[in-house]
C-alpha cells in the first residue's frame, strides 16, 4: 500500500514553489522537475512554465506553458486518451 511517505517533494524556501516530485510507479521511479515559474497576475497562482518528466532518470517528456486560466471549465473528452 502506497503512503505519502513514498513521495519525494522538494519545495523552494523563498516562495514555497514545489520544484520536484518523485514517486514509484509500475513503469519505474517517476520524477517531475518544475521550473521557469510565472504568474498571470500579481499575487495569483504560481505556475511552472516548464516541467520535465523522467522515469528511472531518463527524460520521457518536456512540457512548456506560456499562459493559463484559473476556474475555466473544459469538456471531459479533452482528458481522454486518443487513438
Amino acid at each position: 500500500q502506497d503512503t505519502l511517505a513514498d513521495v519525494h517533494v522538494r519545495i523552494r524556501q523563498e516562495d514555497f514553489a514545489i520544484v520536484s516530485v518523485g514517486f514509484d510507479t509500475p513503469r519505474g521511479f517517476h520524477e517531475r522537475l518544475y521550473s521557469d515559474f510565472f504568474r498571470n497576475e500579481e499575487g495569483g497562482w504560481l505556475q511552472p512554465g516548464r516541467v520535465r518528466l523522467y522515469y528511472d532518470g531518463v527524460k520521457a517528456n518536456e512540457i512548456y506553458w506560456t499562459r493559463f486560466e484559473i476556474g475555466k471549465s473544459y469538456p471531459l473528452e479533452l482528458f481522454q486518451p486518443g487513438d
Side-chain angles (χ1 to χ4, degrees):
Q1 166 117 8
D2 289 335
T3 66
L4 288 178
D6 297 322
V7 177
H8 306 264
V9 178
R10 286 187 7 229
I11 300 173
R12 194 165 60 193
Q13 294 291 317
E14 68 223 29
D15 58 3
F16 306 107
I18 296 173
V19 294
S20 74
V21 177
F23 48 91
D24 286 318
T25 73
R27 185 174 167 185
F29 186 74
H30 178 61
E31 187 175 22
R32 298 176 183 186
L33 302 179
Y34 304 98
S35 61
D36 301 337
F37 292 90
F38 67 98
R39 297 181 195 276
N40 272 359
E41 56 188 56
E42 192 60 38
W45 174 264
L46 184 62
Q47 172 71 33
R50 180 182 179 198
V51 178
R52 288 162 288 164
L53 307 172
Y54 292 84
Y55 287 94
D56 292 331
V58 177
K59 189 190 300 186
N61 205 353
E62 190 164 9
I63 303 163
Y64 293 91
W65 281 272
T66 57
R67 64 184 182 87
F68 64 92
E69 295 181 45
I70 296 175
K72 184 170 176 147
S73 295
Y74 294 96
L76 289 177
E77 304 81 58
L78 183 64
F79 302 99
Q80 302 299 314
D83 295 327

